[in-house]
């Protein structure tokens, strides 16, 4: 009698997810596809997207549902994208168990499909849509609390689950100018890169005050916040310092830096 090998510990990712036109970019889809090809194949994917804030922490659909086209102003064909990944009820049960603690509430939202922060990058990374996906909400934007959630979820990595925080390394659509890279975007990207490489957790947790142009790069912090769930999952597994920027550069002036821990 043989036993199945234990799943390989999965990395934890923070990626800049892009808007629906990401699919038309000449470079970025290939970068995402190459990244996923270099990873162990996940048994399931847990997504934390900048586009779902809900308290208490909410678990999305555990069966395949229509996507959430949570955007406007784009051509209609972007709302015709499909990504019918299997649901992940077993992963949902594991998440509930890991987050069960006094003062922590978890709710189910069974009719909520994947939003564009989840499916836009997954279409490029796992186009066959054959890996179960569960999306959970961010119940807060507090970096420390999000790191704690990530720490609680860290054991999933040893079960073959790919934890993905999906945001954007800089995100201020109102301050973008036509053409070029805004100085606030470049300065924050450089600071964030150096802070990650140096393991400056305190600086990252207090990024609105300790980074250059922090409030311009993130006037509202929801697109940076998923990074802290990813960092928490890495910290609990002891590989917070085993990190690298897999994707760098800018898209429409926004930093698309994407990071792998482990």
């Amino acid at each position: 009698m043989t036993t199945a090998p234990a799943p390989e510990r999965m990395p934890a990712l923070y990626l800049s997810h892009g808007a629906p036109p990401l699919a038309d970019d000449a470079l970025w889809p290939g970068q995402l596809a190459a990244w996923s090809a270099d990873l162990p194949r996940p048994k399931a994917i847990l997504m934390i997207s900048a586009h779902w804030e809900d308290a208490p922490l909410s678990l999305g659909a555990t069966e395949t549902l229509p996507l959430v086209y949570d955007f406007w102003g784009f051509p209609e064909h972007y709302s015709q994208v499909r990504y019918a990944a299997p649901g992940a009820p077993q992963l949902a049960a594991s998440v509930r168990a890991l987050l069960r603690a006094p003062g922590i509430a978890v709710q189910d939202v069974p009719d909520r499909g994947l939003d564009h922060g989840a499916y836009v990058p997954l279409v490029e990374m796992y186009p066959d849509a054959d890996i179960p996906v569960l999306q959970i909400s961010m119940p807060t934007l507090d970096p420390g609390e999000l790191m704690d959630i990530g720490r609680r979820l860290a054991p999933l990595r040893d079960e073959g689950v790919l934890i993905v925080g999906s945001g954007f390394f800089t995100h201020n659509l109102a301050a973008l100018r036509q053409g070029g890279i805004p100085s606030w975007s470049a300065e924050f990207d450089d600071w964030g890169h150096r802070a990650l490489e140096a393991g400056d957790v305190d600086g990252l947790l207090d990024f609105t005050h300790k980074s250059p142009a922090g409030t311009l790069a993130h006037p509202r912090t929801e697109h940076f916040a998923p990074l802290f769930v990813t960092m928490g999952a890495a910290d609990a597994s002891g590989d917070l310092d085993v990190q690298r920027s897999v994707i760098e550069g800018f898209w429409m002036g926004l930093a698309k830096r994407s990071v792998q821990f482990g």
Side-chain angles (χ1 to χ4, degrees):
M1 181 182 222
T2 59
T3 58
E8 182 176 355
R9 174 179 287 175
M10 294 299 300
L13 313 184
Y14 169 80
L15 56 80
S16 295
H17 59 241
L22 164 67
D24 302 325
D25 188 74
L27 177 64
W28 202 355
Q31 291 177 313
L32 287 167
W35 190 4
S36 62
D38 194 44
L39 297 172
R41 180 173 172 82
K43 289 179 62 179
I45 299 170
L46 182 64
M47 297 289 303
I48 304 94
S49 162
H51 294 281
W52 191 16
E53 298 173 53
D54 200 1
L57 188 145
S58 304
L59 281 65
T62 57
E63 60 183 30
T64 304
L65 288 182
L67 301 176
V68 177
Y69 303 108
D70 52 337
F71 49 81
W72 54 91
F74 294 109
E76 177 61 26
H77 69 269
Y78 292 122
S79 297
Q80 297 173 358
V81 173
R82 301 292 182 265
Y83 194 77
Q90 291 181 330
L91 176 55
S94 296
V95 169
R96 290 188 203 98
L98 290 169
L99 296 179
R100 188 178 297 126
I104 296 182
V106 178
Q107 65 177 346
D108 290 284
V109 185
D111 60 348
R112 200 205 192 262
L114 303 175
D115 64 43
H116 84 267
Y119 77 77
V120 164
L122 289 178
V123 165
E124 309 303 335
M125 298 179 79
Y126 300 102
D128 292 337
D130 57 353
I131 298 173
V133 179
L134 176 70
Q135 184 173 350
I136 64 173
S137 73
M138 289 191 298
T140 177
L141 295 181
D142 179 86
E145 293 182 29
L146 290 171
M147 275 199 74
D148 286 341
I149 290 170
R151 291 186 185 102
R152 290 179 178 274
L153 296 172
L156 297 172
R157 296 176 58 200
D158 291 318
E159 299 175 12
V161 176
L162 182 64
I163 297 175
V164 182
S166 176
F168 227 126
F169 208 74
T170 61
H171 192 267
N172 184 345
L173 303 182
L176 287 175
R177 289 176 172 76
Q178 200 68 11
I181 300 167
S183 59
W184 51 262
S185 189
E187 289 169 6
F188 185 89
D189 178 62
D190 177 67
W191 173 85
H193 182 206
R194 289 185 288 106
L196 284 165
E197 286 196 327
D200 184 6
V201 175
D202 290 340
L204 289 161
L205 287 171
D206 193 20
F207 70 93
T208 55
H209 298 105
K210 293 187 176 178
S211 64
T215 55
L216 266 176
H218 292 284
R220 193 171 183 279
T221 62
E222 80 286 347
H223 275 76
F224 204 57
L227 171 65
F228 298 106
V229 180
T230 301
M231 287 176 57
D235 184 41
S237 300
D239 52 11
L240 190 59
D241 60 342
V242 184
Q243 61 85 23
R244 63 189 180 97
S245 289
V246 179
I247 296 175
E248 301 178 332
F250 297 83
W251 184 75
M252 296 184 64
L254 301 177
K256 62 179 186 179
R257 184 171 303 279
S258 299
V259 185
Q260 176 176 326
F261 295 88

